Amino acid sequence: MEENISYAGFWKRLLAHILDRIILGFVLGVLFIPIWIFGILNFMINQENINCEEYAAVSFNPQWNDDVSIAMITAFIVIAIVFSIVSIIVEWLYFAFMESSNKQATFGKIIVGIKVVDYNGGKISFGQATGRYFGKILSGIILGVGFLMAGFTKKKQALHDILASCMVINKFNF
């Protein structure tokens, strides 16, 4: 079977990843813009001892020892932490569910015509897809070398593919 496999190259995989990032950015933006606006409005409404003029003065000229400034910074940090955690969960579920589904690919991979398979050419499990997703952290931490490996290995595997015992192939052999 190995001679019939057309492995997906580095640039095709990069394009699929960029498309997935655009899709995820849109989804996360749609999720969080209303939450961000609601959080700011809720904060403003619940401030009993500040009027609009004081709020404007604090907003444009923050004083770090002022209670309102500290509360605003705290709210911003909490929202940023929640956004980061939810983003990781949404991305993980997106990649893991899509790559372990019958499509065997995310929307970006579908668009460029590639899919993720196990070493037998079959569908990967949700556990493998999860390992592959979190393996990308390791691929990135080592200065992106784990991603670059896809351009130099025999089966065009990145580090996270090797760790998850899978590979990325072209859907159509030309």
Side-chain angles (χ1 to χ4, degrees):
M1 176 175 172
E2 193 164 310
E3 64 272 353
N4 296 334
I5 294 177
S6 172
Y7 301 106
F10 175 82
W11 294 108
K12 204 170 193 181
R13 293 173 61 151
L14 179 62
L15 177 59
H17 187 75
I18 290 169
L19 292 171
D20 284 326
R21 288 288 160 202
I22 291 169
I23 292 165
L24 284 167
F26 178 77
V27 169
L28 290 170
V30 167
L31 284 174
F32 279 100
I33 288 173
I35 293 170
W36 186 265
I37 291 170
F38 175 76
I40 291 171
L41 291 176
N42 188 38
F43 172 79
M44 289 171 51
I45 290 168
N46 289 321
Q47 295 303 313
E48 296 172 8
N49 52 352
I50 188 170
N51 62 34
C52 291
E53 288 131 8
E54 285 181 67
Y55 178 76
V58 168
S59 296
F60 296 110
N61 186 15
Q63 297 179 12
W64 298 106
N65 59 355
D66 182 56
D67 289 341
V68 175
S69 293
I70 293 169
M72 287 174 60
I73 291 167
T74 303
F76 177 79
I77 291 170
V78 168
I79 290 171
I81 290 170
V82 169
F83 177 77
S84 297
I85 292 169
V86 171
S87 294
I88 290 169
I89 293 169
V90 167
E91 288 180 12
W92 161 56
L93 292 174
Y94 170 76
F95 283 101
F97 275 123
M98 295 284 297
E99 291 174 352
S100 64
S101 73
N102 289 334
K103 297 280 186 199
Q104 298 173 270
T106 59
F107 291 118
K109 288 178 182 70
I110 291 168
I111 291 168
V112 300
I114 59 178
K115 66 181 180 177
V116 181
V117 298
D118 64 13
Y119 287 146
N120 297 319
K123 196 169 84 162
I124 65 170
S125 68
F126 182 80
Q128 280 178 292
T130 295
R132 185 173 187 277
Y133 173 77
F134 288 106
K136 290 178 185 178
I137 295 169
L138 182 58
S139 290
I141 285 177
I142 53 174
L143 304 175
V145 172
F147 293 108
L148 294 174
M149 287 172 58
F152 301 101
T153 57
K154 180 181 175 185
K155 295 181 181 178
K156 298 186 180 180
Q157 290 174 289
L159 178 60
H160 51 275
D161 297 320
I162 295 168
L163 293 173
S165 300
C166 61
M167 52 195 172
V168 182
I169 63 170
N170 291 305
K171 280 187 176 181
F172 310 104
N173 294 330
F174 296 106

